[in-house]
PDB file of all heavy atoms in Angstrom:
ATOM      1  N   LYS A   1     110.792 129.765  73.860  1.00  0.00           N
ATOM      2  CA  LYS A   1     110.111 128.919  74.836  1.00  0.00           C
ATOM      3  C   LYS A   1     109.018 128.104  74.168  1.00  0.00           C
ATOM      4  O   LYS A   1     108.882 126.891  74.397  1.00  0.00           O
ATOM      5  CB  LYS A   1     109.510 129.799  75.941  1.00  0.00           C
ATOM      6  CG  LYS A   1     108.784 129.049  77.045  1.00  0.00           C
ATOM      7  CD  LYS A   1     109.728 128.652  78.140  1.00  0.00           C
ATOM      8  CE  LYS A   1     108.980 128.113  79.345  1.00  0.00           C
ATOM      9  NZ  LYS A   1     109.870 127.692  80.418  1.00  0.00           N
ATOM     10  N   LEU A   2     108.223 128.746  73.310  1.00  0.00           N
ATOM     11  CA  LEU A   2     107.144 128.044  72.604  1.00  0.00           C
ATOM     12  C   LEU A   2     107.712 126.972  71.691  1.00  0.00           C
ATOM     13  O   LEU A   2     107.170 125.859  71.598  1.00  0.00           O
ATOM     14  CB  LEU A   2     106.307 129.044  71.801  1.00  0.00           C
ATOM     15  CG  LEU A   2     105.405 129.962  72.623  1.00  0.00           C
ATOM     16  CD1 LEU A   2     104.826 131.072  71.747  1.00  0.00           C
ATOM     17  CD2 LEU A   2     104.283 129.159  73.275  1.00  0.00           C
ATOM     18  N   SER A   3     108.795 127.288  71.019  1.00  0.00           N
ATOM     19  CA  SER A   3     109.414 126.328  70.113  1.00  0.00           C
ATOM     20  C   SER A   3     109.921 125.110  70.872  1.00  0.00           C
ATOM     21  O   SER A   3     109.765 123.966  70.425  1.00  0.00           O
ATOM     22  CB  SER A   3     110.559 126.993  69.356  1.00  0.00           C
ATOM     23  OG  SER A   3     111.171 126.077  68.477  1.00  0.00           O
ATOM     24  N   ALA A   4     110.512 125.362  72.028  1.00  0.00           N
ATOM     25  CA  ALA A   4     111.037 124.257  72.829  1.00  0.00           C
ATOM     26  C   ALA A   4     109.926 123.329  73.310  1.00  0.00           C
ATOM     27  O   ALA A   4     110.135 122.122  73.463  1.00  0.00           O
ATOM     28  CB  ALA A   4     111.806 124.814  74.029  1.00  0.00           C
ATOM     29  N   LEU A   5     108.733 123.894  73.514  1.00  0.00           N
ATOM     30  CA  LEU A   5     107.585 123.099  73.961  1.00  0.00           C
ATOM     31  C   LEU A   5     106.855 122.438  72.805  1.00  0.00           C
ATOM     32  O   LEU A   5     105.898 121.679  73.025  1.00  0.00           O
ATOM     33  CB  LEU A   5     106.611 123.977  74.757  1.00  0.00           C
ATOM     34  CG  LEU A   5     107.136 124.509  76.098  1.00  0.00           C
ATOM     35  CD1 LEU A   5     106.160 125.538  76.673  1.00  0.00           C
ATOM     36  CD2 LEU A   5     107.341 123.364  77.086  1.00  0.00           C
ATOM     37  N   GLY A   6     107.287 122.723  71.578  1.00  0.00           N
ATOM     38  CA  GLY A   6     106.639 122.126  70.417  1.00  0.00           C
ATOM     39  C   GLY A   6     105.445 122.916  69.913  1.00  0.00           C
ATOM     40  O   GLY A   6     104.626 122.390  69.149  1.00  0.00           O
ATOM     41  N   TYR A   7     105.329 124.181  70.319  1.00  0.00           N
ATOM     42  CA  TYR A   7     104.192 125.020  69.899  1.00  0.00           C
ATOM     43  C   TYR A   7     104.702 126.298  69.223  1.00  0.00           C
ATOM     44  O   TYR A   7     104.170 127.387  69.428  1.00  0.00           O
ATOM     45  CB  TYR A   7     103.322 125.374  71.119  1.00  0.00           C
ATOM     46  CG  TYR A   7     102.583 124.183  71.680  1.00  0.00           C
ATOM     47  CD1 TYR A   7     103.136 123.431  72.711  1.00  0.00           C
ATOM     48  CD2 TYR A   7     101.348 123.803  71.153  1.00  0.00           C
ATOM     49  CE1 TYR A   7     102.473 122.323  73.221  1.00  0.00           C
ATOM     50  CE2 TYR A   7     100.676 122.699  71.669  1.00  0.00           C
ATOM     51  CZ  TYR A   7     101.243 121.962  72.694  1.00  0.00           C
ATOM     52  OH  TYR A   7     100.579 120.869  73.188  1.00  0.00           O
ATOM     53  N   GLY A   8     105.732 126.153  68.400  1.00  0.00           N
ATOM     54  CA  GLY A   8     106.306 127.315  67.739  1.00  0.00           C
ATOM     55  C   GLY A   8     105.373 127.991  66.756  1.00  0.00           C
ATOM     56  O   GLY A   8     105.510 129.194  66.471  1.00  0.00           O
ATOM     57  N   ASP A   9     104.367 127.246  66.238  1.00  0.00           N
ATOM     58  CA  ASP A   9     103.457 127.825  65.240  1.00  0.00           C
ATOM     59  C   ASP A   9     102.107 128.217  65.828  1.00  0.00           C
ATOM     60  O   ASP A   9     101.162 128.521  65.095  1.00  0.00           O
ATOM     61  CB  ASP A   9     103.248 126.830  64.092  1.00  0.00           C
ATOM     62  CG  ASP A   9     102.712 125.491  64.591  1.00  0.00           C
ATOM     63  OD1 ASP A   9     102.667 125.297  65.839  1.00  0.00           O
ATOM     64  OD2 ASP A   9     102.357 124.636  63.756  1.00  0.00           O
ATOM     65  N   ILE A  10     101.995 128.211  67.162  1.00  0.00           N
ATOM     66  CA  ILE A  10     100.711 128.534  67.780  1.00  0.00           C
ATOM     67  C   ILE A  10     100.405 130.019  67.598  1.00  0.00           C
ATOM     68  O   ILE A  10     101.315 130.870  67.580  1.00  0.00           O
ATOM     69  CB  ILE A  10     100.724 128.162  69.284  1.00  0.00           C
ATOM     70  CG1 ILE A  10      99.303 128.181  69.856  1.00  0.00           C
ATOM     71  CG2 ILE A  10     101.640 129.101  70.072  1.00  0.00           C
ATOM     72  CD1 ILE A  10      99.225 127.613  71.265  1.00  0.00           C
ATOM     73  N   HIS A  11      99.114 130.348  67.428  1.00  0.00           N
ATOM     74  CA  HIS A  11      98.704 131.752  67.293  1.00  0.00           C
ATOM     75  C   HIS A  11      98.794 132.411  68.659  1.00  0.00           C
ATOM     76  O   HIS A  11      98.253 131.904  69.656  1.00  0.00           O
ATOM     77  CB  HIS A  11      97.281 131.839  66.736  1.00  0.00           C
ATOM     78  CG  HIS A  11      96.980 133.190  66.135  1.00  0.00           C
ATOM     79  ND1 HIS A  11      96.747 134.306  66.903  1.00  0.00           N
ATOM     80  CD2 HIS A  11      96.910 133.593  64.840  1.00  0.00           C
ATOM     81  CE1 HIS A  11      96.518 135.354  66.126  1.00  0.00           C
ATOM     82  NE2 HIS A  11      96.614 134.943  64.846  1.00  0.00           N
ATOM     83  N   LEU A  12      99.498 133.546  68.713  1.00  0.00           N
ATOM     84  CA  LEU A  12      99.740 134.197  70.000  1.00  0.00           C
ATOM     85  C   LEU A  12      98.458 134.628  70.699  1.00  0.00           C
ATOM     86  O   LEU A  12      98.417 134.746  71.926  1.00  0.00           O
ATOM     87  CB  LEU A  12     100.652 135.408  69.807  1.00  0.00           C
ATOM     88  CG  LEU A  12     102.071 135.090  69.287  1.00  0.00           C
ATOM     89  CD1 LEU A  12     102.869 136.373  69.133  1.00  0.00           C
ATOM     90  CD2 LEU A  12     102.785 134.136  70.233  1.00  0.00           C
ATOM     91  N   SER A  13      97.385 134.849  69.937  1.00  0.00           N
ATOM     92  CA  SER A  13      96.123 135.296  70.545  1.00  0.00           C
ATOM     93  C   SER A  13      95.486 134.212  71.404  1.00  0.00           C
ATOM     94  O   SER A  13      94.606 134.494  72.217  1.00  0.00           O
ATOM     95  CB  SER A  13      95.142 135.726  69.442  1.00  0.00           C
ATOM     96  OG  SER A  13      94.835 134.616  68.603  1.00  0.00           O
ATOM     97  N   THR A  14      95.936 132.950  71.213  1.00  0.00           N
ATOM     98  CA  THR A  14      95.366 131.847  72.001  1.00  0.00           C
ATOM     99  C   THR A  14      96.044 131.701  73.360  1.00  0.00           C
ATOM    100  O   THR A  14      95.585 130.934  74.194  1.00  0.00           O
ATOM    101  CB  THR A  14      95.486 130.522  71.235  1.00  0.00           C
ATOM    102  OG1 THR A  14      96.882 130.232  71.051  1.00  0.00           O
ATOM    103  CG2 THR A  14      94.792 130.601  69.889  1.00  0.00           C
ATOM    104  N   LEU A  15      97.139 132.422  73.580  1.00  0.00           N
ATOM    105  CA  LEU A  15      97.831 132.332  74.862  1.00  0.00           C
ATOM    106  C   LEU A  15      97.037 133.067  75.936  1.00  0.00           C
ATOM    107  O   LEU A  15      96.369 134.067  75.668  1.00  0.00           O
ATOM    108  CB  LEU A  15      99.231 132.910  74.749  1.00  0.00           C
ATOM    109  CG  LEU A  15     100.166 132.207  73.749  1.00  0.00           C
ATOM    110  CD1 LEU A  15     101.517 132.911  73.708  1.00  0.00           C
ATOM    111  CD2 LEU A  15     100.339 130.742  74.099  1.00  0.00           C
ATOM    112  N   GLU A  16      97.126 132.586  77.151  1.00  0.00           N
ATOM    113  CA  GLU A  16      96.329 133.112  78.268  1.00  0.00           C
ATOM    114  C   GLU A  16      97.168 134.042  79.132  1.00  0.00           C
ATOM    115  O   GLU A  16      98.316 133.740  79.443  1.00  0.00           O
ATOM    116  CB  GLU A  16      95.815 131.943  79.116  1.00  0.00           C
ATOM    117  CG  GLU A  16      95.107 132.355  80.395  1.00  0.00           C
ATOM    118  CD  GLU A  16      94.889 131.185  81.344  1.00  0.00           C
ATOM    119  OE1 GLU A  16      94.956 130.022  80.886  1.00  0.00           O
ATOM    120  OE2 GLU A  16      94.663 131.442  82.538  1.00  0.00           O
ATOM    121  N   LYS A  17      96.561 135.188  79.504  1.00  0.00           N
ATOM    122  CA  LYS A  17      97.190 136.092  80.458  1.00  0.00           C
ATOM    123  C   LYS A  17      96.516 135.924  81.809  1.00  0.00           C
ATOM    124  O   LYS A  17      95.287 135.837  81.887  1.00  0.00           O
ATOM    125  CB  LYS A  17      97.076 137.535  79.998  1.00  0.00           C
ATOM    126  CG  LYS A  17      97.906 137.879  78.761  1.00  0.00           C
ATOM    127  CD  LYS A  17      97.764 139.355  78.391  1.00  0.00           C
ATOM    128  CE  LYS A  17      98.589 139.698  77.158  1.00  0.00           C
ATOM    129  NZ  LYS A  17      98.435 141.126  76.768  1.00  0.00           N
ATOM    130  N   SER A  18      97.323 135.871  82.838  1.00  0.00           N
ATOM    131  CA  SER A  18      96.770 135.688  84.175  1.00  0.00           C
ATOM    132  C   SER A  18      97.595 136.498  85.170  1.00  0.00           C
ATOM    133  O   SER A  18      98.811 136.617  85.037  1.00  0.00           O
ATOM    134  CB  SER A  18      96.796 134.203  84.560  1.00  0.00           C
ATOM    135  OG  SER A  18      96.236 134.012  85.839  1.00  0.00           O
ATOM    136  N   GLY A  19      96.899 137.050  86.178  1.00  0.00           N
ATOM    137  CA  GLY A  19      97.577 137.869  87.170  1.00  0.00           C
ATOM    138  C   GLY A  19      97.376 139.347  86.879  1.00  0.00           C
ATOM    139  O   GLY A  19      96.821 139.734  85.847  1.00  0.00           O
ATOM    140  N   GLU A  20      97.841 140.172  87.807  1.00  0.00           N
ATOM    141  CA  GLU A  20      97.676 141.618  87.652  1.00  0.00           C
ATOM    142  C   GLU A  20      98.996 142.337  87.855  1.00  0.00           C
ATOM    143  O   GLU A  20      99.857 141.893  88.615  1.00  0.00           O
ATOM    144  CB  GLU A  20      96.650 142.144  88.664  1.00  0.00           C
ATOM    145  CG  GLU A  20      95.248 141.597  88.461  1.00  0.00           C
ATOM    146  CD  GLU A  20      94.269 142.163  89.487  1.00  0.00           C
ATOM    147  OE1 GLU A  20      94.711 142.962  90.343  1.00  0.00           O
ATOM    148  OE2 GLU A  20      93.089 141.809  89.418  1.00  0.00           O
ATOM    149  N   GLY A  21      99.126 143.477  87.160  1.00  0.00           N
ATOM    150  CA  GLY A  21     100.308 144.335  87.323  1.00  0.00           C
ATOM    151  C   GLY A  21     101.597 143.601  87.015  1.00  0.00           C
ATOM    152  O   GLY A  21     101.725 142.913  86.000  1.00  0.00           O
ATOM    153  N   LYS A  22     102.549 143.723  87.947  1.00  0.00           N
ATOM    154  CA  LYS A  22     103.845 143.090  87.746  1.00  0.00           C
ATOM    155  C   LYS A  22     103.774 141.567  87.796  1.00  0.00           C
ATOM    156  O   LYS A  22     104.685 140.873  87.326  1.00  0.00           O
ATOM    157  CB  LYS A  22     104.831 143.579  88.816  1.00  0.00           C
ATOM    158  CG  LYS A  22     105.194 145.054  88.698  1.00  0.00           C
ATOM    159  CD  LYS A  22     106.210 145.437  89.767  1.00  0.00           C
ATOM    160  CE  LYS A  22     106.590 146.918  89.658  1.00  0.00           C
ATOM    161  NZ  LYS A  22     107.570 147.311  90.705  1.00  0.00           N
ATOM    162  N   ASN A  23     102.691 141.034  88.366  1.00  0.00           N
ATOM    163  CA  ASN A  23     102.551 139.578  88.502  1.00  0.00           C
ATOM    164  C   ASN A  23     101.883 138.935  87.296  1.00  0.00           C
ATOM    165  O   ASN A  23     101.690 137.725  87.266  1.00  0.00           O
ATOM    166  CB  ASN A  23     101.741 139.237  89.757  1.00  0.00           C
ATOM    167  CG  ASN A  23     102.471 139.646  91.024  1.00  0.00           C
ATOM    168  OD1 ASN A  23     103.702 139.537  91.095  1.00  0.00           O
ATOM    169  ND2 ASN A  23     101.736 140.126  92.016  1.00  0.00           N
ATOM    170  N   GLU A  24     101.496 139.775  86.309  1.00  0.00           N
ATOM    171  CA  GLU A  24     100.820 139.209  85.142  1.00  0.00           C
ATOM    172  C   GLU A  24     101.801 138.347  84.338  1.00  0.00           C
ATOM    173  O   GLU A  24     102.940 138.742  84.084  1.00  0.00           O
ATOM    174  CB  GLU A  24     100.263 140.320  84.251  1.00  0.00           C
ATOM    175  CG  GLU A  24      99.420 139.774  83.091  1.00  0.00           C
ATOM    176  CD  GLU A  24      98.880 140.883  82.200  1.00  0.00           C
ATOM    177  OE1 GLU A  24      99.717 141.611  81.612  1.00  0.00           O
ATOM    178  OE2 GLU A  24      97.661 141.010  82.100  1.00  0.00           O
ATOM    179  N   ALA A  25     101.344 137.142  83.973  1.00  0.00           N
ATOM    180  CA  ALA A  25     102.191 136.218  83.229  1.00  0.00           C
ATOM    181  C   ALA A  25     101.408 135.617  82.075  1.00  0.00           C
ATOM    182  O   ALA A  25     100.164 135.642  82.052  1.00  0.00           O
ATOM    183  CB  ALA A  25     102.721 135.125  84.141  1.00  0.00           C
ATOM    184  N   LEU A  26     102.160 135.060  81.154  1.00  0.00           N
ATOM    185  CA  LEU A  26     101.574 134.449  79.964  1.00  0.00           C
ATOM    186  C   LEU A  26     101.606 132.931  80.132  1.00  0.00           C
ATOM    187  O   LEU A  26     102.622 132.362  80.541  1.00  0.00           O
ATOM    188  CB  LEU A  26     102.382 134.855  78.728  1.00  0.00           C
ATOM    189  CG  LEU A  26     101.684 134.749  77.371  1.00  0.00           C
ATOM    190  CD1 LEU A  26     100.456 135.664  77.318  1.00  0.00           C
ATOM    191  CD2 LEU A  26     102.666 135.106  76.262  1.00  0.00           C
ATOM    192  N   TYR A  27     100.477 132.278  79.817  1.00  0.00           N
ATOM    193  CA  TYR A  27     100.359 130.832  79.985  1.00  0.00           C
ATOM    194  C   TYR A  27      99.991 130.174  78.668  1.00  0.00           C
ATOM    195  O   TYR A  27      99.237 130.733  77.863  1.00  0.00           O
ATOM    196  CB  TYR A  27      99.278 130.492  81.016  1.00  0.00           C
ATOM    197  CG  TYR A  27      99.687 130.775  82.439  1.00  0.00           C
ATOM    198  CD1 TYR A  27      99.601 132.071  82.957  1.00  0.00           C
ATOM    199  CD2 TYR A  27     100.145 129.766  83.272  1.00  0.00           C
ATOM    200  CE1 TYR A  27      99.975 132.350  84.265  1.00  0.00           C
ATOM    201  CE2 TYR A  27     100.515 130.030  84.586  1.00  0.00           C
ATOM    202  CZ  TYR A  27     100.422 131.319  85.076  1.00  0.00           C
ATOM    203  OH  TYR A  27     100.786 131.573  86.372  1.00  0.00           O
ATOM    204  N   LEU A  28     100.535 128.984  78.480  1.00  0.00           N
ATOM    205  CA  LEU A  28     100.105 128.128  77.378  1.00  0.00           C
ATOM    206  C   LEU A  28      98.939 127.303  77.896  1.00  0.00           C
ATOM    207  O   LEU A  28      99.052 126.628  78.915  1.00  0.00           O
ATOM    208  CB  LEU A  28     101.258 127.208  76.940  1.00  0.00           C
ATOM    209  CG  LEU A  28     100.929 126.170  75.866  1.00  0.00           C
ATOM    210  CD1 LEU A  28     100.674 126.855  74.524  1.00  0.00           C
ATOM    211  CD2 LEU A  28     102.072 125.160  75.731  1.00  0.00           C
ATOM    212  N   ASN A  29      97.820 127.346  77.214  1.00  0.00           N
ATOM    213  CA  ASN A  29      96.630 126.614  77.665  1.00  0.00           C
ATOM    214  C   ASN A  29      95.992 125.954  76.446  1.00  0.00           C
ATOM    215  O   ASN A  29      95.243 126.573  75.702  1.00  0.00           O
ATOM    216  CB  ASN A  29      95.646 127.576  78.337  1.00  0.00           C
ATOM    217  CG  ASN A  29      94.610 126.830  79.170  1.00  0.00           C
ATOM    218  OD1 ASN A  29      94.440 125.621  79.022  1.00  0.00           O
ATOM    219  ND2 ASN A  29      93.923 127.543  80.044  1.00  0.00           N
ATOM    220  N   VAL A  30      96.338 124.669  76.240  1.00  0.00           N
ATOM    221  CA  VAL A  30      95.881 123.977  75.034  1.00  0.00           C
ATOM    222  C   VAL A  30      95.440 122.564  75.375  1.00  0.00           C
ATOM    223  O   VAL A  30      95.696 122.060  76.464  1.00  0.00           O
ATOM    224  CB  VAL A  30      97.002 123.912  73.978  1.00  0.00           C
ATOM    225  CG1 VAL A  30      97.396 125.299  73.501  1.00  0.00           C
ATOM    226  CG2 VAL A  30      98.218 123.167  74.528  1.00  0.00           C
ATOM    227  N   ILE A  31      94.792 121.936  74.415  1.00  0.00           N
ATOM    228  CA  ILE A  31      94.484 120.506  74.488  1.00  0.00           C
ATOM    229  C   ILE A  31      95.511 119.797  73.612  1.00  0.00           C
ATOM    230  O   ILE A  31      95.541 119.987  72.400  1.00  0.00           O
ATOM    231  CB  ILE A  31      93.051 120.197  73.992  1.00  0.00           C
ATOM    232  CG1 ILE A  31      92.029 120.930  74.859  1.00  0.00           C
ATOM    233  CG2 ILE A  31      92.812 118.696  74.011  1.00  0.00           C
ATOM    234  CD1 ILE A  31      92.036 120.503  76.313  1.00  0.00           C
ATOM    235  N   ALA A  32      96.377 119.018  74.265  1.00  0.00           N
ATOM    236  CA  ALA A  32      97.458 118.345  73.534  1.00  0.00           C
ATOM    237  C   ALA A  32      96.994 116.979  73.050  1.00  0.00           C
ATOM    238  O   ALA A  32      96.252 116.281  73.755  1.00  0.00           O
ATOM    239  CB  ALA A  32      98.673 118.193  74.433  1.00  0.00           C
ATOM    240  N   PRO A  33      97.428 116.595  71.861  1.00  0.00           N
ATOM    241  CA  PRO A  33      97.045 115.274  71.353  1.00  0.00           C
ATOM    242  C   PRO A  33      97.749 114.171  72.135  1.00  0.00           C
ATOM    243  O   PRO A  33      98.922 114.312  72.510  1.00  0.00           O
ATOM    244  CB  PRO A  33      97.512 115.307  69.899  1.00  0.00           C
ATOM    245  CG  PRO A  33      98.621 116.301  69.880  1.00  0.00           C
ATOM    246  CD  PRO A  33      98.252 117.342  70.900  1.00  0.00           C
TER     247      PRO A  33
END
């Protein structure tokens, strides 16, 4: 998914987690050029 979005080399620690329990999801949150 990250590769398809053009962020295949992004550091995973910069990804955002949001939600609780089963609803927790991972978000890409960056400033794009």
Side-chain angles (χ1 to χ4, degrees):
K1 181 88 171 179
L2 288 169
S3 180
L5 294 171
Y7 291 93
D9 57 351
I10 194 171
H11 200 285
L12 297 180
S13 62
T14 63
L15 299 178
E16 173 193 341
K17 291 182 180 179
S18 181
E20 296 181 359
K22 293 182 180 179
N23 295 323
E24 186 181 61
L26 201 61
Y27 286 82
L28 175 69
N29 197 344
V30 296
I31 299 297

